[in-house]
Amino acid sequence: MALDNTWFSEPHPASGSAFSLQIEERLFAQQSPYQYVEVYATVGFGNLMVIDGCVMLSQRDNFLYHEMLVHPALFTHPDPRRVLIIGGGDCGTLREVLKHPGVEQVVQVDIDEVVTRAAEQYFPELCESNQDPRAQLHFADGIAWVQNAAPASYDIIIVDSTDPIGPAEGLFAAPFLQDCLRALADTGLLVQQSESPLFHLESILKPLQRTLYQAGFAAVHTLHFPQCVYPSGWWTVTLATKTGDPTRFREQDAAAKPFVTDYYNVDIHRASLATPELMRRALAE
Ligand code: SAM
């Protein structure tokens, strides 16, 4: 919500906290068939995308989230070639995936075209790889897409979704995750944004891990990283494998990555695998 004309604020009532950014102006606002999409110009964080009052990304710090959603997963898989992104309409995840030269095909399925059109206009740097011949952009429900996917048709599925309410609720539920497992090849893995370890450990992170195991994934591991524009400033992604160990990755390849990042590197990858005590206790239950 806009506090007044000069501040955008996202309250998190459950924790009695809010995150605010000083804004210059609102650049875009549109009610799509699915959600209310806004873009603000901020004073210190570049452009800011907001969906249904929740911060999606800022130009200043989205590299943290996008790099940590993509690179640990792609360096964990032995040879990722076919990648499916569910959600991810701002295209920042797509851009990171396409930095991997071995990737042959990336299919992105976001339910809402309005998000991608707004990103093209106000976050052009995130959309710079959209014309890559390996990329396919579809606007459809990710749940139905995976339901209809051929068995073993993807090496990696990346769930880059909004919070688990509204159209994204089903992306955290067992039927969707079972369909993902079926759509993955034998060495396949899924990675999903899994919210804050401080604010959503009991309400989202723990149920998601449990649901991934119930869906049939062999092993699950949650990685964490800073993300100052999201509630609590601390965020996670959860890796789930069909067969392998999600804590083992191609360390030599990660150390020799042939592309530039701002946060991810081989040491960050190792460090983000370490589980803080509060998570270890809760997730062991
Ligand atoms: N980084 C962001 C975050 O964690 O706040 C997520 C960014 S991305 C903009 C989230 C996208 O998920 C949105 O564009 C939304 O349209 C999409 N989405 C939500 N539910 C979906 C569904 N069922 N199928 C496909 N895309 C969906």
Side-chain angles (χ1 to χ4, degrees), residues 164-203:
I165 39 173
E169 195 175 347
L171 300 176
F172 289 73
F176 169 73
L177 298 171
Q178 279 159 2
D179 288 336
C180 286
L181 189 72
R182 192 184 47 79
L184 284 168
D186 280 349
T187 54
L189 62 90
L190 173 139
V191 60
Q192 175 143 11
Q193 78 89 3
S194 46
E195 311 267 312
S196 163
L198 196 63
F199 289 174
H200 308 117
L201 187 53
E202 294 295 330
S203 57

Side-chain angles (χ1 to χ4, degrees), residues 35 56 65 87 90 109-111 115 141-142 160-162 167-168 230:
Q35 52 210 353
M56 289 294 115
Y65 173 90
D90 57 71
V109 183
D110 195 295
I111 203 167
V115 175
D141 184 359
D160 181 7
S161 71
T162 38
Y230 289 168

Side-chain angles (χ1 to χ4, degrees), residues 10-118:
E10 179 184 340
H12 186 262
S15 64
S17 66
F19 179 75
S20 302
L21 286 174
Q22 200 174 7
I23 55 175
E24 285 167 349
E25 60 176 318
R26 188 160 77 166
L27 299 169
F28 177 88
Q30 190 174 329
Q31 176 65 53
S32 79
Y34 307 99
Q35 52 210 353
Y36 188 54
V37 183
E38 296 169 277
V39 179
Y40 293 90
T42 73
V43 173
F45 277 67
N47 290 345
L48 171 77
M49 182 183 282
V50 175
I51 293 184
D52 288 340
C54 297
V55 169
M56 289 294 115
L57 67 140
S58 84
Q59 282 182 309
R60 184 163 184 182
D61 80 337
N62 76 82
F63 66 92
L64 291 157
Y65 173 90
H66 287 135
E67 291 180 13
M68 291 305 287
L69 184 62
V70 170
H71 302 307
L74 271 88
F75 282 120
T76 298
H77 190 282
D79 185 20
R81 290 163 193 254
R82 301 161 301 167
V83 179
L84 172 66
I85 301 169
I86 299 295
D90 57 71
C91 302
T93 294
L94 177 66
R95 182 182 71 162
E96 294 305 311
V97 173
L98 289 165
K99 287 180 178 175
H100 289 254
V103 167
E104 293 168 356
Q105 180 202 51
V106 192
V107 177
Q108 175 171 291
V109 183
D110 195 295
I111 203 167
D112 196 347
E113 186 168 358
V114 170
V115 175
T116 300
R117 299 300 164 230

Side-chain angles (χ1 to χ4, degrees), residues 73 76-78 155 181 184-190 213 216-221 239-249:
T76 298
H77 190 282
D155 298 314
L181 189 72
L184 284 168
D186 280 349
T187 54
L189 62 90
L190 173 139
Y213 279 119
F217 283 91
V220 176
H221 195 84
L239 279 174
T241 53
K242 201 161 177 174
T243 48
D245 177 353
T247 67
R248 294 177 68 99
F249 65 105

